[in-house]
Amino acid sequence: MEHEISKREMKTQQSLVLIKPDGLLKSLTGNILTELSDTKLIIAGAKIVEVTKELAEEHYHHLMEEKFFDELIKYIMGEYHVKRVLALVYHGEDAISKIRKVVGATNPEKAEPTSIRGKYGRITSKGVFENVVHASENEKEAEREIKLWFKPEELAHTIYPTEEMEVKKVEYFWKTDKKKK
Ligand code: DAT
Ligand code: MG
């Protein structure tokens, strides 16, 4: 239950937030981050991601059977706006419900008018809920989503247990001018 924070003990949690392609195209990033900062939670990770079909389908796998699934995948991949999202990990006491409250209900027309989705969301003629942001629903989903979108090294502190593995990889560095003077 979203509004029962005071009835139980506070819990340190994580939440994955995505500023979706409509949010980026409409230059809402600053406004959204300001609204989210009212929660006083800590940002543990942030990056721009170009969403592949594979990532989109994995993220929304629980909705695969829905009639709106294909449109939802196109939307999150940026087919209708820009081909990127801003992915963020928030961390702190009761992060999940605090963020969901600021974000508002899934259907932007039913969302609290002062919530992010209520203010900036819309339903398209194709029936897509362009609701500007994603926010994790519960702890299990948050863990699944954060592990899907982020590598341990991309977060400012270790949230979930990690393990070491040796990998051979090509890394890119900024090119330096090696010409002699
Ligand atoms: P939420 O994003 O609030 O966690 P969800 O996980 O049920 O909601 O659905 C994921 C996204 O799918 C949601 O942000 C918008 C879209 N969606 C959900 N229900 C929908 C519907 N009835 N029609 C169109 N899009 C929908
Ligand atoms: Mg959800």
Side-chain angles (χ1 to χ4, degrees):
M1 290 281 122
E2 272 182 18
H3 307 293
E4 292 187 352
I5 297 173
S6 55
K7 290 189 190 162
R8 55 179 172 76
E9 257 180 53
M10 301 259 253
K11 211 170 173 194
T12 301
Q13 295 176 326
Q14 282 68 240
S15 174
L16 177 83
V17 172
L18 303 174
I19 301 186
K20 296 179 179 180
D22 49 332
L24 294 187
L25 181 69
K26 293 174 180 173
S27 279
L28 293 170
T29 311
N31 303 45
I32 293 167
L33 292 177
T34 302
E35 305 262 358
L36 289 167
S37 71
D38 287 345
T39 61
K40 307 282 189 289
L41 295 163
I42 287 165
I43 297 175
K47 64 174 177 178
I48 289 286
V49 182
E50 220 177 288
V51 183
T52 60
K53 196 157 197 280
E54 196 186 17
L55 176 59
E57 289 183 349
E58 188 60 38
H59 178 74
Y60 283 129
H61 76 106
H62 57 292
L63 299 169
M64 213 169 262
E65 302 298 322
E66 300 291 342
K67 58 182 187 314
F68 58 80
F69 185 71
D70 289 350
E71 285 299 323
L72 178 63
I73 297 303
K74 280 194 215 165
Y75 164 43
I76 199 72
M77 286 180 72
E79 203 119 311
Y80 302 119
H81 305 94
V82 285
K83 293 202 182 311
R84 56 187 176 276
V85 303
L86 177 60
L88 300 144
V89 174
Y90 280 86
H91 171 85
E93 301 246 296
D94 275 310
I96 289 171
S97 64
K98 280 182 187 164
I99 288 179
R100 293 280 295 191
K101 188 158 196 299
V102 174
V103 162
T106 307
N107 180 338
E109 284 182 4
K110 293 191 177 150
E112 191 83 30
T114 54
S115 67
I116 295 170
R117 286 169 167 176
K119 271 188 198 168
Y120 306 122
R122 67 167 195 148
I123 301 178
T124 69
S125 51
K126 281 185 174 173
V128 179
F129 288 2
E130 282 186 6
N131 56 12
V132 194
V133 281
H134 165 82
S136 305
E137 272 174 62
N138 53 52
E139 281 182 34
K140 196 162 160 257
E141 273 297 280
E143 181 170 350
R144 184 187 76 82
E145 293 171 357
I146 291 166
K147 288 178 175 175
L148 178 65
W149 287 81
F150 283 85
K151 290 184 188 149
E153 71 215 30
E154 292 173 324
L155 300 179
H157 54 272
T158 312
I159 289 173
Y160 306 114
T162 56
E163 58 182 346
E164 227 178 70
M165 238 185 273
E166 236 175 82
V167 288
K168 197 176 158 191
K169 64 172 184 180
V170 175
E171 253 191 78
Y172 291 90
F173 294 91
W174 300 117
K175 207 168 179 176
T176 51
D177 188 2
K178 288 185 186 127
K179 265 186 268 169
K180 279 182 193 151
K181 281 177 193 162

